[in-house]
Amino acid sequence: MATARKRPRPDMEDSQAECPFTVIHPDPNEKEKKAKRRRQESEDQALPKVLLQASPFSPMGKFKDVHNTMDRHYQVQPYKRWTDMTRYNSFVLNGVKYWSEGFIFVANNSTIERQKNPGEALQPRKKSDDDWVARILEIRASDEHHVYARVYWMYWPDELPAGTQDGKRFVQGRQPYHGANELIASNHMDVINVVSVTAAATVNQWDETNEDEVQPALYWRQAFDVRSMELSSAEPRCKCNRPENPDKKLIGCTNEDCRKWLHDDCLIHEALLNTYKRLGTDKPHKPTPMKEEEEGEGAQRPLSPSESGAAQTAEQSIDVKPEEQQTIKLADVENALPSVKAEDTTVSVATTTNNSAKPKARGRPRKSEPADAAANAKPYEGLFEAVVRDELSPPVLEITDLRENIAGGEKSWTEPLRCLLCGQAIH
């Protein structure tokens, strides 16, 4: 069973949203279950069926098991009470219609606490403190006072449990590539009382291979299989082979033999490492070498000596992926309902005033930690800082010297951007 582990129901006195149902995930091939089935059949009792829920999520990335579909066998208990209820295509709560297969916001303990104390000063909130998000799989009701939804939970990245496998690493919580409005699809199933629903949600799947796609609302790209505690892969970018954070800037190399997207953080890190190696803690930056290079023809040649008569390297350019096109904004979801086919059967819900709402690791894992730490070391911190000036043409790196008591030299200068993979500079 993996039902209430990540989504514990609030205490009854807090939520008033009673739900008597639980979901279990038996193995339909168990011999013991077959024997139990024979006994039940002989006693003419209702036969609890083990059903298969086909996953509504198809992530672009892969799991280690390439045949993993995230489909799950399940039973809702108590079985007879659940199956005796009428199945509906939609329900109406507080004048808003919610459809099966649609996304919803669901109140959690933090939501209830905020509703109880509306006058208190608001504390800083994390995404995991916001309403939970779920996708409705099935709606059943015995009457307008007892309406329930079987759901798959969407995870905020902050909720990823310890031991989650992300590629070759084991992680917990939000990762650097997760955006502010990013969710993670899962096959974590539960049954909820629909009076806990606070609003309809708009959640889109983000196709990372479409570089021009912009999401106007909440989005997901990865899926989390609660059985194996594994995340599906995300599209690697840059020299670091880490995924893109859509809230941050990417810079694209247009060298036809490269065409890779680079994290601006990685470009800055590389430039500052080189600056630190060149100047250390006490050497001033002197612009003379840069001026000589600009005035001479050598500026158009590779830094290494070229052979006599060798062809000159062609000038390269780089495209900047605009930050505003990558920023994911939270859409107004109060009135946005999922796009579904119209259905005829709807149940109205009776409510009361009390309702609430990386470098590749080799060998044993412990031996990879020092290598990772060395790769991410920032000896330049407090000594130099840099920004990518992509509004200039061509874009450049602007480096600032923060060191004190350094005689001579410049305190701020610019350097050309170089692709971290092919080494081509921006001209």
Side-chain angles (χ1 to χ4, degrees):
M1 294 177 59
T3 54
R5 184 181 56 187
K6 306 296 185 303
R7 289 291 187 272
R9 294 195 180 96
D11 293 336
M12 278 296 302
E13 60 192 23
D14 288 338
S15 68
Q16 299 299 317
E18 178 186 5
C19 184
F21 299 102
T22 57
V23 179
I24 63 171
H25 301 279
D27 182 352
N29 299 318
E30 282 184 0
K31 293 181 179 180
E32 294 180 1
K33 187 161 289 298
K34 291 181 179 179
K36 183 178 180 181
R37 184 181 300 119
R38 295 191 192 99
R39 291 196 300 270
Q40 290 172 333
E41 289 174 348
S42 65
E43 296 171 2
D44 296 326
Q45 295 179 356
L47 178 64
K49 295 181 179 180
V50 178
L51 303 176
L52 177 65
Q53 174 63 57
S55 175
F57 305 114
S58 298
M60 299 290 178
K62 304 298 181 183
F63 293 98
K64 285 194 304 183
D65 179 1
V66 295
H67 302 294
N68 185 351
T69 62
M70 292 184 64
D71 298 347
R72 295 202 75 181
H73 290 91
Y74 74 95
Q75 278 183 354
V76 178
Q77 295 184 337
Y79 175 80
K80 189 173 187 306
R81 183 174 175 183
W82 175 256
T83 55
D84 282 348
M85 293 192 298
T86 304
R87 187 169 181 171
Y88 293 89
N89 296 310
S90 60
F91 65 89
V92 176
L93 176 65
N94 297 325
V96 179
K97 196 170 192 177
Y98 300 90
W99 298 88
S100 182
E101 302 302 325
F103 290 94
I104 52 175
F105 286 109
V106 182
N108 59 23
N109 285 331
S110 297
T111 310
I112 296 164
E113 200 61 34
R114 292 195 300 271
Q115 292 172 346
K116 282 183 175 182
N117 304 286
E120 288 189 2
L122 294 178
Q123 299 297 321
R125 291 169 59 185
K126 299 183 300 182
K127 279 297 180 184
S128 56
D129 292 331
D130 291 347
D131 291 354
W132 289 325
V133 181
R135 179 163 180 164
I136 300 175
L137 303 172
E138 181 183 8
I139 301 166
R140 287 183 180 265
S142 57
D143 55 52
E144 62 182 3
H145 299 283
H146 300 86
V147 184
Y148 305 95
R150 185 168 57 86
V151 302
Y152 264 162
W153 291 110
M154 307 292 290
Y155 279 53
W156 294 110
D158 310 80
E159 299 173 307
L160 289 174
T164 296
Q165 186 169 0
D166 185 5
K168 295 183 178 181
R169 301 180 304 131
F170 289 93
V171 301
Q172 177 180 5
R174 179 175 294 273
Q175 299 304 299
Y177 62 84
H178 286 135
N181 295 316
E182 184 161 359
L183 292 164
I184 298 170
S186 84
N187 54 2
H188 179 177
M189 190 185 298
D190 211 346
V191 176
I192 64 170
N193 189 318
V194 300
V195 300
S196 299
V197 176
T198 60
T202 299
V203 182
N204 300 319
Q205 182 175 7
W206 176 30
D207 180 3
E208 293 179 279
T209 62
N210 184 353
E211 296 170 351
D212 296 324
E213 183 176 356
V214 178
Q215 295 296 340
L218 297 174
Y219 66 91
W220 70 276
R221 56 175 155 173
Q222 289 178 290
F224 177 59
D225 191 336
V226 298
R227 297 167 298 186
S228 60
M229 300 283 285
E230 183 186 1
L231 277 173
S232 63
S233 62
E235 187 75 14
R237 305 286 193 191
C238 194
K239 180 181 178 180
C240 65
N241 281 324
R242 294 184 179 178
E244 170 187 357
N245 183 328
D247 299 335
K248 295 184 178 180
K249 194 185 309 176
L250 286 184
I251 296 178
C253 177
T254 55
N255 177 3
E256 291 298 329
D257 296 327
C258 183
R259 307 286 295 180
K260 299 296 184 181
W261 288 102
L262 310 169
H263 301 115
D264 65 340
D265 290 346
C266 292
L267 287 165
I268 290 172
H269 175 68
E270 185 78 7
L272 291 178
L273 277 180
N274 291 335
T275 299
Y276 178 77
K277 291 176 183 177
R278 178 168 59 89
L279 302 180
T281 59
D282 55 1
K283 295 179 182 178
H285 170 75
K286 296 183 178 180
T288 304
M290 180 66 70
K291 290 182 179 179
E292 290 177 356
E293 190 178 48
E294 290 174 353
E295 293 171 359
E297 293 182 357
Q300 301 298 325
R301 298 180 180 272
L303 294 180
S304 58
S306 58
E307 297 180 0
S308 176
Q312 200 168 14
T313 303
E315 294 186 354
Q316 300 295 327
S317 61
I318 194 165
D319 286 342
V320 176
K321 197 169 185 179
E323 187 170 7
E324 58 269 15
Q325 291 186 3
Q326 289 302 313
T327 301
I328 308 302
K329 297 183 178 179
L330 181 62
D332 180 5
V333 299
E334 292 295 332
N335 298 316
L337 290 176
S339 175
V340 294
K341 297 180 180 179
E343 301 286 352
D344 295 331
T345 308
T346 301
V347 59
S348 295
V349 183
T351 59
T352 66
T353 56
N354 290 328
N355 288 339
S356 71
K358 15 192 178 157
K360 294 184 178 180
R362 296 177 180 269
R364 289 176 291 183
R366 288 184 180 178
K367 291 188 177 181
S368 69
E369 292 175 2
D372 291 340
N376 297 322
K378 299 179 179 180
Y380 52 77
E381 280 190 332
L383 303 176
F384 305 95
E385 65 181 12
V387 294
V388 176
R389 298 290 302 276
D390 59 295
E391 75 279 7
L392 300 179
S393 182
V396 296
L397 277 162
E398 184 176 84
I399 301 176
T400 302
D401 188 344
L402 304 178
R403 299 171 299 171
E404 298 180 355
N405 303 322
I406 302 296
E410 293 185 346
K411 285 296 184 181
S412 180
W413 64 94
T414 61
E415 294 183 0
L417 284 173
R418 265 182 206 281
C419 176
L420 301 178
L421 294 166
C422 71
Q424 294 292 340
I426 305 168
H427 294 294

